[in-house]
PDB file of all heavy atoms in Angstrom:
ATOM      1  N   ASP A 180      82.734 -94.757  81.541  1.00 98.00           N
ATOM      2  CA  ASP A 180      81.750 -93.855  80.923  1.00 98.00           C
ATOM      3  C   ASP A 180      80.524 -93.705  81.821  1.00 98.00           C
ATOM      4  O   ASP A 180      80.012 -92.605  81.995  1.00 98.00           O
ATOM      5  CB  ASP A 180      81.317 -94.373  79.545  1.00 98.00           C
ATOM      6  CG  ASP A 180      82.414 -94.249  78.504  1.00 98.00           C
ATOM      7  OD1 ASP A 180      83.401 -93.517  78.734  1.00 98.00           O
ATOM      8  OD2 ASP A 180      82.287 -94.907  77.447  1.00 98.00           O
ATOM      9  N   TRP A 181      80.056 -94.816  82.386  1.00 97.00           N
ATOM     10  CA  TRP A 181      78.892 -94.749  83.253  1.00 97.00           C
ATOM     11  C   TRP A 181      79.191 -93.922  84.515  1.00 97.00           C
ATOM     12  O   TRP A 181      78.380 -93.109  84.921  1.00 97.00           O
ATOM     13  CB  TRP A 181      78.409 -96.164  83.647  1.00 97.00           C
ATOM     14  CG  TRP A 181      77.218 -96.093  84.512  1.00 97.00           C
ATOM     15  CD1 TRP A 181      75.925 -95.974  84.105  1.00 97.00           C
ATOM     16  CD2 TRP A 181      77.194 -96.071  85.944  1.00 97.00           C
ATOM     17  NE1 TRP A 181      75.093 -95.870  85.199  1.00 97.00           N
ATOM     18  CE2 TRP A 181      75.852 -95.934  86.338  1.00 97.00           C
ATOM     19  CE3 TRP A 181      78.170 -96.153  86.926  1.00 97.00           C
ATOM     20  CZ2 TRP A 181      75.460 -95.882  87.668  1.00 97.00           C
ATOM     21  CZ3 TRP A 181      77.782 -96.097  88.255  1.00 97.00           C
ATOM     22  CH2 TRP A 181      76.439 -95.958  88.604  1.00 97.00           C
ATOM     23  N   VAL A 182      80.352 -94.118  85.117  1.00 97.00           N
ATOM     24  CA  VAL A 182      80.741 -93.364  86.307  1.00 97.00           C
ATOM     25  C   VAL A 182      80.807 -91.873  85.977  1.00 97.00           C
ATOM     26  O   VAL A 182      80.300 -91.039  86.735  1.00 97.00           O
ATOM     27  CB  VAL A 182      82.076 -93.858  86.872  1.00 97.00           C
ATOM     28  CG1 VAL A 182      82.640 -92.905  87.924  1.00 97.00           C
ATOM     29  CG2 VAL A 182      81.922 -95.254  87.466  1.00 97.00           C
ATOM     30  N   ASP A 183      81.424 -91.529  84.856  1.00 98.00           N
ATOM     31  CA  ASP A 183      81.502 -90.118  84.451  1.00 98.00           C
ATOM     32  C   ASP A 183      80.111 -89.513  84.290  1.00 98.00           C
ATOM     33  O   ASP A 183      79.850 -88.394  84.733  1.00 98.00           O
ATOM     34  CB  ASP A 183      82.284 -89.963  83.143  1.00 98.00           C
ATOM     35  CG  ASP A 183      83.772 -90.245  83.303  1.00 98.00           C
ATOM     36  OD1 ASP A 183      84.268 -90.264  84.448  1.00 98.00           O
ATOM     37  OD2 ASP A 183      84.427 -90.458  82.261  1.00 98.00           O
ATOM     38  N   ARG A 184      79.210 -90.237  83.661  1.00 97.00           N
ATOM     39  CA  ARG A 184      77.838 -89.766  83.452  1.00 97.00           C
ATOM     40  C   ARG A 184      77.090 -89.692  84.781  1.00 97.00           C
ATOM     41  O   ARG A 184      76.406 -88.705  85.080  1.00 97.00           O
ATOM     42  CB  ARG A 184      77.120 -90.682  82.466  1.00 97.00           C
ATOM     43  CG  ARG A 184      75.833 -90.138  81.934  1.00 97.00           C
ATOM     44  CD  ARG A 184      75.253 -90.978  80.794  1.00 97.00           C
ATOM     45  NE  ARG A 184      74.984 -92.357  81.174  1.00 97.00           N
ATOM     46  CZ  ARG A 184      75.724 -93.424  80.821  1.00 97.00           C
ATOM     47  NH1 ARG A 184      76.766 -93.285  80.028  1.00 97.00           N
ATOM     48  NH2 ARG A 184      75.400 -94.637  81.212  1.00 97.00           N
ATOM     49  N   ALA A 185      77.230 -90.709  85.614  1.00 96.00           N
ATOM     50  CA  ALA A 185      76.527 -90.755  86.906  1.00 96.00           C
ATOM     51  C   ALA A 185      76.948 -89.615  87.821  1.00 96.00           C
ATOM     52  O   ALA A 185      76.121 -89.094  88.574  1.00 96.00           O
ATOM     53  CB  ALA A 185      76.778 -92.099  87.588  1.00 96.00           C
ATOM     54  N   TYR A 186      78.183 -89.203  87.742  1.00 96.00           N
ATOM     55  CA  TYR A 186      78.676 -88.117  88.600  1.00 96.00           C
ATOM     56  C   TYR A 186      77.860 -86.846  88.412  1.00 96.00           C
ATOM     57  O   TYR A 186      77.613 -86.119  89.357  1.00 96.00           O
ATOM     58  CB  TYR A 186      80.167 -87.857  88.287  1.00 96.00           C
ATOM     59  CG  TYR A 186      80.755 -86.795  89.164  1.00 96.00           C
ATOM     60  CD1 TYR A 186      81.144 -87.082  90.463  1.00 96.00           C
ATOM     61  CD2 TYR A 186      80.944 -85.501  88.694  1.00 96.00           C
ATOM     62  CE1 TYR A 186      81.695 -86.099  91.289  1.00 96.00           C
ATOM     63  CE2 TYR A 186      81.482 -84.517  89.500  1.00 96.00           C
ATOM     64  CZ  TYR A 186      81.862 -84.826  90.794  1.00 96.00           C
ATOM     65  OH  TYR A 186      82.397 -83.853  91.600  1.00 96.00           O
ATOM     66  N   PHE A 187      77.416 -86.603  87.181  1.00 95.00           N
ATOM     67  CA  PHE A 187      76.630 -85.394  86.892  1.00 95.00           C
ATOM     68  C   PHE A 187      75.121 -85.668  86.932  1.00 95.00           C
ATOM     69  O   PHE A 187      74.351 -84.794  87.301  1.00 95.00           O
ATOM     70  CB  PHE A 187      77.024 -84.824  85.521  1.00 95.00           C
ATOM     71  CG  PHE A 187      78.438 -84.320  85.509  1.00 95.00           C
ATOM     72  CD1 PHE A 187      79.451 -85.084  84.958  1.00 95.00           C
ATOM     73  CD2 PHE A 187      78.759 -83.113  86.084  1.00 95.00           C
ATOM     74  CE1 PHE A 187      80.771 -84.628  84.965  1.00 95.00           C
ATOM     75  CE2 PHE A 187      80.061 -82.645  86.102  1.00 95.00           C
ATOM     76  CZ  PHE A 187      81.070 -83.406  85.538  1.00 95.00           C
ATOM     77  N   VAL A 188      74.712 -86.847  86.526  1.00 94.00           N
ATOM     78  CA  VAL A 188      73.285 -87.161  86.425  1.00 94.00           C
ATOM     79  C   VAL A 188      72.648 -87.324  87.803  1.00 94.00           C
ATOM     80  O   VAL A 188      71.541 -86.833  88.050  1.00 94.00           O
ATOM     81  CB  VAL A 188      73.063 -88.423  85.567  1.00 94.00           C
ATOM     82  CG1 VAL A 188      71.644 -88.940  85.670  1.00 94.00           C
ATOM     83  CG2 VAL A 188      73.431 -88.138  84.115  1.00 94.00           C
ATOM     84  N   LEU A 189      73.315 -87.987  88.728  1.00 93.00           N
ATOM     85  CA  LEU A 189      72.691 -88.302  90.023  1.00 93.00           C
ATOM     86  C   LEU A 189      72.316 -87.056  90.830  1.00 93.00           C
ATOM     87  O   LEU A 189      71.203 -87.003  91.380  1.00 93.00           O
ATOM     88  CB  LEU A 189      73.567 -89.254  90.831  1.00 93.00           C
ATOM     89  CG  LEU A 189      73.686 -90.657  90.219  1.00 93.00           C
ATOM     90  CD1 LEU A 189      74.658 -91.508  91.036  1.00 93.00           C
ATOM     91  CD2 LEU A 189      72.346 -91.323  90.118  1.00 93.00           C
ATOM     92  N   PRO A 190      73.165 -86.034  90.931  1.00 88.00           N
ATOM     93  CA  PRO A 190      72.721 -84.829  91.650  1.00 88.00           C
ATOM     94  C   PRO A 190      71.529 -84.145  90.974  1.00 88.00           C
ATOM     95  O   PRO A 190      70.631 -83.634  91.670  1.00 88.00           O
ATOM     96  CB  PRO A 190      73.951 -83.905  91.629  1.00 88.00           C
ATOM     97  CG  PRO A 190      75.100 -84.807  91.389  1.00 88.00           C
ATOM     98  CD  PRO A 190      74.577 -85.948  90.563  1.00 88.00           C
ATOM     99  N   ALA A 191      71.493 -84.141  89.665  1.00 86.00           N
ATOM    100  CA  ALA A 191      70.373 -83.523  88.942  1.00 86.00           C
ATOM    101  C   ALA A 191      69.076 -84.304  89.213  1.00 86.00           C
ATOM    102  O   ALA A 191      68.008 -83.721  89.354  1.00 86.00           O
ATOM    103  CB  ALA A 191      70.649 -83.479  87.448  1.00 86.00           C
ATOM    104  N   ARG A 192      69.170 -85.627  89.316  1.00 87.00           N
ATOM    105  CA  ARG A 192      68.000 -86.447  89.591  1.00 87.00           C
ATOM    106  C   ARG A 192      67.461 -86.179  90.996  1.00 87.00           C
ATOM    107  O   ARG A 192      66.253 -86.203  91.221  1.00 87.00           O
ATOM    108  CB  ARG A 192      68.332 -87.927  89.415  1.00 87.00           C
ATOM    109  CG  ARG A 192      68.576 -88.286  87.943  1.00 87.00           C
ATOM    110  CD  ARG A 192      69.144 -89.680  87.813  1.00 87.00           C
ATOM    111  NE  ARG A 192      68.252 -90.705  88.282  1.00 87.00           N
ATOM    112  CZ  ARG A 192      67.265 -91.247  87.561  1.00 87.00           C
ATOM    113  NH1 ARG A 192      67.045 -90.840  86.321  1.00 87.00           N
ATOM    114  NH2 ARG A 192      66.514 -92.196  88.060  1.00 87.00           N
ATOM    115  N   LYS A 193      68.364 -85.928  91.936  1.00 82.00           N
ATOM    116  CA  LYS A 193      67.924 -85.611  93.297  1.00 82.00           C
ATOM    117  C   LYS A 193      67.068 -84.341  93.275  1.00 82.00           C
ATOM    118  O   LYS A 193      66.026 -84.277  93.924  1.00 82.00           O
ATOM    119  CB  LYS A 193      69.144 -85.415  94.207  1.00 82.00           C
ATOM    120  CG  LYS A 193      68.778 -85.126  95.624  1.00 82.00           C
ATOM    121  CD  LYS A 193      70.026 -85.014  96.493  1.00 82.00           C
ATOM    122  CE  LYS A 193      69.650 -84.720  97.933  1.00 82.00           C
ATOM    123  NZ  LYS A 193      70.816 -84.601  98.780  1.00 82.00           N
ATOM    124  N   ILE A 194      67.493 -83.354  92.508  1.00 77.00           N
ATOM    125  CA  ILE A 194      66.730 -82.104  92.404  1.00 77.00           C
ATOM    126  C   ILE A 194      65.407 -82.368  91.714  1.00 77.00           C
ATOM    127  O   ILE A 194      64.366 -81.837  92.114  1.00 77.00           O
ATOM    128  CB  ILE A 194      67.562 -81.036  91.660  1.00 77.00           C
ATOM    129  CG1 ILE A 194      68.746 -80.617  92.520  1.00 77.00           C
ATOM    130  CG2 ILE A 194      66.690 -79.838  91.289  1.00 77.00           C
ATOM    131  CD1 ILE A 194      69.771 -79.788  91.803  1.00 77.00           C
ATOM    132  N   GLN A 195      65.384 -83.191  90.677  1.00 79.00           N
ATOM    133  CA  GLN A 195      64.148 -83.499  89.939  1.00 79.00           C
ATOM    134  C   GLN A 195      63.103 -84.138  90.850  1.00 79.00           C
ATOM    135  O   GLN A 195      61.914 -83.951  90.641  1.00 79.00           O
ATOM    136  CB  GLN A 195      64.430 -84.439  88.775  1.00 79.00           C
ATOM    137  CG  GLN A 195      65.161 -83.816  87.632  1.00 79.00           C
ATOM    138  CD  GLN A 195      65.501 -84.829  86.562  1.00 79.00           C
ATOM    139  OE1 GLN A 195      65.594 -86.027  86.836  1.00 79.00           O
ATOM    140  NE2 GLN A 195      65.674 -84.363  85.346  1.00 79.00           N
ATOM    141  N   ARG A 196      63.561 -84.900  91.837  1.00 83.00           N
ATOM    142  CA  ARG A 196      62.613 -85.572  92.730  1.00 83.00           C
ATOM    143  C   ARG A 196      62.030 -84.642  93.785  1.00 83.00           C
ATOM    144  O   ARG A 196      61.059 -84.985  94.434  1.00 83.00           O
ATOM    145  CB  ARG A 196      63.317 -86.712  93.443  1.00 83.00           C
ATOM    146  CG  ARG A 196      63.579 -87.893  92.576  1.00 83.00           C
ATOM    147  CD  ARG A 196      64.139 -89.035  93.398  1.00 83.00           C
ATOM    148  NE  ARG A 196      64.458 -90.160  92.578  1.00 83.00           N
ATOM    149  CZ  ARG A 196      65.662 -90.433  92.094  1.00 83.00           C
ATOM    150  NH1 ARG A 196      66.678 -89.647  92.380  1.00 83.00           N
ATOM    151  NH2 ARG A 196      65.869 -91.475  91.334  1.00 83.00           N
ATOM    152  N   ASP A 197      62.616 -83.489  93.980  1.00 87.00           N
ATOM    153  CA  ASP A 197      62.207 -82.585  95.050  1.00 87.00           C
ATOM    154  C   ASP A 197      61.001 -81.764  94.606  1.00 87.00           C
ATOM    155  O   ASP A 197      61.108 -80.900  93.752  1.00 87.00           O
ATOM    156  CB  ASP A 197      63.378 -81.668  95.412  1.00 87.00           C
ATOM    157  CG  ASP A 197      63.031 -80.678  96.487  1.00 87.00           C
ATOM    158  OD1 ASP A 197      61.977 -80.829  97.140  1.00 87.00           O
ATOM    159  OD2 ASP A 197      63.801 -79.736  96.679  1.00 87.00           O
ATOM    160  N   PRO A 198      59.834 -81.984  95.202  1.00 88.00           N
ATOM    161  CA  PRO A 198      58.634 -81.280  94.779  1.00 88.00           C
ATOM    162  C   PRO A 198      58.730 -79.761  95.020  1.00 88.00           C
ATOM    163  O   PRO A 198      58.141 -78.997  94.249  1.00 88.00           O
ATOM    164  CB  PRO A 198      57.507 -81.875  95.622  1.00 88.00           C
ATOM    165  CG  PRO A 198      58.090 -82.978  96.398  1.00 88.00           C
ATOM    166  CD  PRO A 198      59.559 -82.974  96.232  1.00 88.00           C
ATOM    167  N   LEU A 199      59.435 -79.336  96.041  1.00 91.00           N
ATOM    168  CA  LEU A 199      59.537 -77.905  96.296  1.00 91.00           C
ATOM    169  C   LEU A 199      60.340 -77.220  95.189  1.00 91.00           C
ATOM    170  O   LEU A 199      59.985 -76.128  94.748  1.00 91.00           O
ATOM    171  CB  LEU A 199      60.171 -77.645  97.664  1.00 91.00           C
ATOM    172  CG  LEU A 199      60.082 -76.227  98.181  1.00 91.00           C
ATOM    173  CD1 LEU A 199      58.641 -75.752  98.248  1.00 91.00           C
ATOM    174  CD2 LEU A 199      60.724 -76.128  99.555  1.00 91.00           C
ATOM    175  N   SER A 200      61.375 -77.870  94.692  1.00 87.00           N
ATOM    176  CA  SER A 200      62.126 -77.323  93.552  1.00 87.00           C
ATOM    177  C   SER A 200      61.245 -77.263  92.318  1.00 87.00           C
ATOM    178  O   SER A 200      61.305 -76.305  91.547  1.00 87.00           O
ATOM    179  CB  SER A 200      63.368 -78.164  93.263  1.00 87.00           C
ATOM    180  OG  SER A 200      64.299 -78.051  94.303  1.00 87.00           O
ATOM    181  N   GLN A 201      60.409 -78.290  92.134  1.00 88.00           N
ATOM    182  CA  GLN A 201      59.491 -78.289  90.999  1.00 88.00           C
ATOM    183  C   GLN A 201      58.477 -77.150  91.115  1.00 88.00           C
ATOM    184  O   GLN A 201      58.151 -76.501  90.130  1.00 88.00           O
ATOM    185  CB  GLN A 201      58.753 -79.632  90.906  1.00 88.00           C
ATOM    186  CG  GLN A 201      59.654 -80.797  90.576  1.00 88.00           C
ATOM    187  CD  GLN A 201      60.262 -80.677  89.204  1.00 88.00           C
ATOM    188  OE1 GLN A 201      59.593 -80.305  88.248  1.00 88.00           O
ATOM    189  NE2 GLN A 201      61.542 -80.949  89.097  1.00 88.00           N
ATOM    190  N   LEU A 202      58.000 -76.896  92.349  1.00 94.00           N
ATOM    191  CA  LEU A 202      57.060 -75.801  92.573  1.00 94.00           C
ATOM    192  C   LEU A 202      57.714 -74.467  92.262  1.00 94.00           C
ATOM    193  O   LEU A 202      57.120 -73.605  91.602  1.00 94.00           O
ATOM    194  CB  LEU A 202      56.538 -75.825  94.007  1.00 94.00           C
ATOM    195  CG  LEU A 202      55.613 -74.676  94.402  1.00 94.00           C
ATOM    196  CD1 LEU A 202      54.342 -74.676  93.548  1.00 94.00           C
ATOM    197  CD2 LEU A 202      55.286 -74.753  95.885  1.00 94.00           C
ATOM    198  N   ARG A 203      58.928 -74.276  92.712  1.00 94.00           N
ATOM    199  CA  ARG A 203      59.628 -73.020  92.432  1.00 94.00           C
ATOM    200  C   ARG A 203      59.775 -72.803  90.927  1.00 94.00           C
ATOM    201  O   ARG A 203      59.539 -71.700  90.406  1.00 94.00           O
ATOM    202  CB  ARG A 203      60.992 -72.995  93.107  1.00 94.00           C
ATOM    203  CG  ARG A 203      61.745 -71.715  92.798  1.00 94.00           C
ATOM    204  CD  ARG A 203      63.049 -71.544  93.513  1.00 94.00           C
ATOM    205  NE  ARG A 203      63.737 -72.764  93.787  1.00 94.00           N
ATOM    206  CZ  ARG A 203      64.731 -72.846  94.667  1.00 94.00           C
ATOM    207  NH1 ARG A 203      65.105 -71.788  95.352  1.00 94.00           N
ATOM    208  NH2 ARG A 203      65.362 -73.980  94.862  1.00 94.00           N
ATOM    209  N   LYS A 204      60.131 -73.864  90.208  1.00 91.00           N
ATOM    210  CA  LYS A 204      60.284 -73.753  88.758  1.00 91.00           C
ATOM    211  C   LYS A 204      58.949 -73.387  88.116  1.00 91.00           C
ATOM    212  O   LYS A 204      58.888 -72.512  87.233  1.00 91.00           O
ATOM    213  CB  LYS A 204      60.785 -75.087  88.198  1.00 91.00           C
ATOM    214  CG  LYS A 204      60.973 -75.107  86.703  1.00 91.00           C
ATOM    215  CD  LYS A 204      61.486 -76.440  86.229  1.00 91.00           C
ATOM    216  CE  LYS A 204      61.574 -76.481  84.724  1.00 91.00           C
ATOM    217  NZ  LYS A 204      61.958 -77.785  84.221  1.00 91.00           N
ATOM    218  N   ARG A 205      57.864 -74.018  88.564  1.00 93.00           N
ATOM    219  CA  ARG A 205      56.547 -73.744  87.981  1.00 93.00           C
ATOM    220  C   ARG A 205      56.114 -72.303  88.259  1.00 93.00           C
ATOM    221  O   ARG A 205      55.613 -71.619  87.369  1.00 93.00           O
ATOM    222  CB  ARG A 205      55.501 -74.733  88.564  1.00 93.00           C
ATOM    223  CG  ARG A 205      54.110 -74.466  88.098  1.00 93.00           C
ATOM    224  CD  ARG A 205      53.970 -74.719  86.597  1.00 93.00           C
ATOM    225  NE  ARG A 205      52.665 -74.300  86.146  1.00 93.00           N
ATOM    226  CZ  ARG A 205      52.444 -73.493  85.111  1.00 93.00           C
ATOM    227  NH1 ARG A 205      53.428 -73.063  84.376  1.00 93.00           N
ATOM    228  NH2 ARG A 205      51.225 -73.150  84.792  1.00 93.00           N
ATOM    229  N   ILE A 206      56.323 -71.826  89.481  1.00 96.00           N
ATOM    230  CA  ILE A 206      55.952 -70.441  89.814  1.00 96.00           C
ATOM    231  C   ILE A 206      56.777 -69.464  88.998  1.00 96.00           C
ATOM    232  O   ILE A 206      56.267 -68.471  88.493  1.00 96.00           O
ATOM    233  CB  ILE A 206      56.073 -70.184  91.331  1.00 96.00           C
ATOM    234  CG1 ILE A 206      54.980 -70.957  92.070  1.00 96.00           C
ATOM    235  CG2 ILE A 206      55.966 -68.688  91.636  1.00 96.00           C
ATOM    236  CD1 ILE A 206      55.110 -70.922  93.584  1.00 96.00           C
ATOM    237  N   SER A 207      58.041 -69.738  88.805  1.00 95.00           N
ATOM    238  CA  SER A 207      58.878 -68.887  87.978  1.00 95.00           C
ATOM    239  C   SER A 207      58.357 -68.813  86.544  1.00 95.00           C
ATOM    240  O   SER A 207      58.324 -67.746  85.934  1.00 95.00           O
ATOM    241  CB  SER A 207      60.328 -69.395  87.999  1.00 95.00           C
ATOM    242  OG  SER A 207      61.154 -68.584  87.219  1.00 95.00           O
ATOM    243  N   GLU A 208      57.937 -69.975  86.014  1.00 94.00           N
ATOM    244  CA  GLU A 208      57.366 -70.010  84.660  1.00 94.00           C
ATOM    245  C   GLU A 208      56.097 -69.186  84.586  1.00 94.00           C
ATOM    246  O   GLU A 208      55.864 -68.478  83.597  1.00 94.00           O
ATOM    247  CB  GLU A 208      57.071 -71.456  84.247  1.00 94.00           C
ATOM    248  CG  GLU A 208      58.310 -72.282  84.000  1.00 94.00           C
ATOM    249  CD  GLU A 208      58.019 -73.764  83.855  1.00 94.00           C
ATOM    250  OE1 GLU A 208      56.856 -74.192  84.096  1.00 94.00           O
ATOM    251  OE2 GLU A 208      58.949 -74.505  83.525  1.00 94.00           O
ATOM    252  N   ILE A 209      55.268 -69.268  85.625  1.00 95.00           N
ATOM    253  CA  ILE A 209      54.030 -68.481  85.667  1.00 95.00           C
ATOM    254  C   ILE A 209      54.348 -66.997  85.647  1.00 95.00           C
ATOM    255  O   ILE A 209      53.750 -66.219  84.903  1.00 95.00           O
ATOM    256  CB  ILE A 209      53.187 -68.861  86.900  1.00 95.00           C
ATOM    257  CG1 ILE A 209      52.626 -70.271  86.760  1.00 95.00           C
ATOM    258  CG2 ILE A 209      52.065 -67.839  87.128  1.00 95.00           C
ATOM    259  CD1 ILE A 209      52.053 -70.857  88.040  1.00 95.00           C
TER     260      ILE A 209
END
């Protein structure tokens, strides 16, 4: 179960850590 969850969660976490992706999301919201 943990492996199945980690397979999808870990790539999403990499994106969450990226400040440039966060900036793009914020500008889109604006």
Side-chain angles (χ1 to χ4, degrees):
D180 289 344
W181 181 84
V182 168
D183 289 344
R184 193 171 59 255
Y186 182 79
F187 295 100
V188 168
L189 293 176
R192 291 170 63 84
K193 182 177 180 180
I194 292 169
Q195 288 175 336
R196 286 186 183 97
D197 178 14
L199 192 57
S200 292
Q201 294 295 317
L202 176 62
R203 178 174 32 196
K204 180 180 176 185
R205 176 66 187 129
I206 291 172
S207 180
E208 290 169 352
I209 290 167

